[in-house]
Amino acid sequence: MPIIDAPSQKRVRDAASIEDLRKAAEKRMHAMTYGYLAGGADEEIALRRSVSCYEDVELRHAVLHGVGHGETDLRTNIMGVEADLPFFVTSCAGQRMFHSDGEVATATAAAKHNVAMALSQLTTSTFEDVRGAAPNHAKILQLYVWRDRVLLKEVLDRAKEVGFTGLALTADFSWVGNRERETRTGFTVPPNYSWRQTVDAMKSPAWTYDFILVDFIAQQMKPEFDWKDAEWLCSEWGDTGKVALKGVARGEDAKRAVETGFDTIWVSNHGGRQLESSVAPFDVLPEVRAAVGPDVEVIMDGGVRRGLDVIKALARGADSVACGRAYLYGLA
């Protein structure tokens, strides 16, 4: 749609930062889905802190280091996936809310830049399509805490069949946080087409054309999912590959996760979308690293908007950094 999409495409071409992409996304998107993407819990204190915390840390540069252009090597391994960069695109449900190509577009970009990708269990593209777009990059599946073990095992078996080698259990989303911005914009799944949503849709034709959302199954979430359930999950995945516990915010939980059978600790507060005033993942990194020691893989996400944020997280104890909103603004 060259006419409808022309303004959006120009804004993307002119963007010099993630903040520019955020502004471009806001102008293109339906208000309710922009609120879903950009918003956090309650008054969004945790969301703002997750972004601003990096400002508390300063960098001291070395001089006469003898390293020339082209001599740096940022290649790394993230949950068994070889990548050119120490950051990757993390999972987000329902990406076709943001663009009609959804997760396939994300996978294509990951393959183009040789970075790892985690795919949400609540994807709006098929496992096969995403894996086909990035067979060497989209190899980590993010899983929710579901109550139906039979259904959960079917998902695990299917993930193995299509070639996923890493599993990330999201443990901080057993129920949905109180997201006031979504309440104000009338976000529902599926949309209820209220007068407000209809007006917003008319104001955002490019987004409205793209809007598709399927297979949302909130009733499957299991708040009582516990360490025994997690142990079962690790055993079911077996020797397929690494298993990460995503949503860790305490050193004590990180240590117990390793004892339970998890290979990787993923420090996260779910983008500040769940518990208001939750600790910024960047702030808790030293505690988690001290709890698990130097040999356990530690991933961090939360508030990453610049390459410098990635550097600071690596210096503070992370092995790699996951980015969410940063690339989703670009997708939108």
Side-chain angles (χ1 to χ4, degrees):
M1 298 182 296
I3 296 177
I4 291 178
D5 277 333
S8 297
Q9 292 175 350
K10 183 179 187 304
R11 285 190 287 266
V12 170
R13 287 195 302 269
D14 294 344
S17 66
I18 298 300
E19 175 61 14
D20 290 344
L21 290 178
R22 183 198 66 77
K23 292 175 182 177
E26 183 177 17
K27 289 180 179 178
R28 182 179 186 271
M29 295 178 73
H30 191 302
M32 72 169 184
T33 44
Y34 175 76
Y36 167 78
L37 172 56
D42 296 329
E43 295 181 282
E44 302 183 349
I45 297 170
L47 172 58
R48 291 192 297 274
R49 174 59 191 166
S50 294
V51 176
S52 67
C53 59
Y54 299 96
E55 299 173 6
D56 297 343
V57 174
E58 298 174 326
L59 300 174
R60 292 191 288 177
H61 60 276
V63 297
L64 301 178
H65 44 66
V67 180
H69 291 293
E71 295 181 9
T72 55
D73 185 356
L74 300 179
R75 289 178 299 176
T76 189
N77 185 292
I78 301 171
M79 292 188 66
V81 180
E82 298 293 335
D84 280 353
L85 295 166
F87 65 88
F88 66 101
V89 290
T90 189
S91 53
C92 175
Q95 292 186 26
R96 292 180 73 180
M97 283 191 293
F98 312 134
H99 190 279
S100 59
D101 291 342
E103 294 85 357
V104 173
T106 300
T108 302
K112 176 181 177 180
H113 297 286
N114 200 28
V115 298
M117 174 186 175
L119 178 69
S120 171
Q121 174 189 0
L122 296 181
T123 174
T124 44
S125 304
T126 67
F127 285 0
E128 291 80 4
D129 285 347
V130 175
R131 289 277 298 122
N136 297 318
H137 306 84
K139 300 180 74 173
I140 304 167
L141 179 66
Q142 173 261 320
L143 203 67
Y144 292 99
V145 287
W146 281 13
R147 65 177 68 254
D148 188 337
R149 280 196 176 186
V150 174
L151 188 57
L152 195 56
K153 189 176 185 309
E154 287 178 1
V155 174
L156 294 177
D157 291 342
R158 183 158 169 255
K160 295 175 185 178
E161 288 175 5
V162 299
F164 286 101
T165 57
L167 189 69
L169 173 66
T170 293
D172 59 356
F173 190 69
S174 49
W175 58 77
V176 179
N178 179 40
R179 303 170 188 172
E180 295 177 6
R181 197 188 303 209
E182 293 178 16
T183 301
R184 295 188 188 102
T185 60
F187 180 85
T188 59
V189 181
N192 59 25
Y193 297 108
S194 65
W195 171 248
R196 180 196 305 170
Q197 291 186 7
T198 302
V199 171
D200 284 338
M202 292 170 65
K203 287 162 39 179
S204 308
W207 175 86
T208 302
Y209 182 84
D210 287 347
F211 180 71
I212 300 175
L213 184 66
V214 297
D215 294 336
F216 187 81
I217 40 179
Q219 69 271 19
Q220 278 293 332
M221 299 302 175
K222 183 183 180 183
E224 63 273 21
F225 198 99
D226 60 15
W227 290 103
K228 284 292 184 183
D229 292 314
E231 187 175 2
W232 170 83
L233 183 72
C234 291
S235 66
E236 283 295 324
W237 193 246
D239 59 0
T240 304
K242 286 192 170 185
V243 185
L245 182 62
K246 182 176 182 290
V248 175
R250 302 193 307 166
E252 179 183 349
D253 285 345
K255 186 176 181 179
R256 186 167 183 181
V258 174
E259 295 169 349
T260 300
F262 288 95
D263 307 289
T264 302
I265 304 302
W266 192 323
V267 182
S268 175
N269 66 1
H270 212 89
R273 298 161 63 78
Q274 289 297 95
L275 175 65
E276 179 62 297
S277 296
S278 58
V279 64
F282 180 70
D283 288 339
V284 81
L285 258 180
E287 177 186 333
V288 169
R289 175 53 75 191
V292 300
D295 299 326
V296 174
E297 182 178 23
V298 174
I299 296 170
M300 188 217 75
D301 71 37
V304 176
R305 300 294 185 270
R306 292 184 175 275
L308 283 177
D309 299 340
V310 176
I311 290 172
K312 291 176 181 180
L314 296 177
R316 187 163 265 197
D319 292 300
S320 63
V321 174
C323 302
R325 288 184 178 92
Y327 83 86
L328 291 168
Y329 289 142
L331 175 64

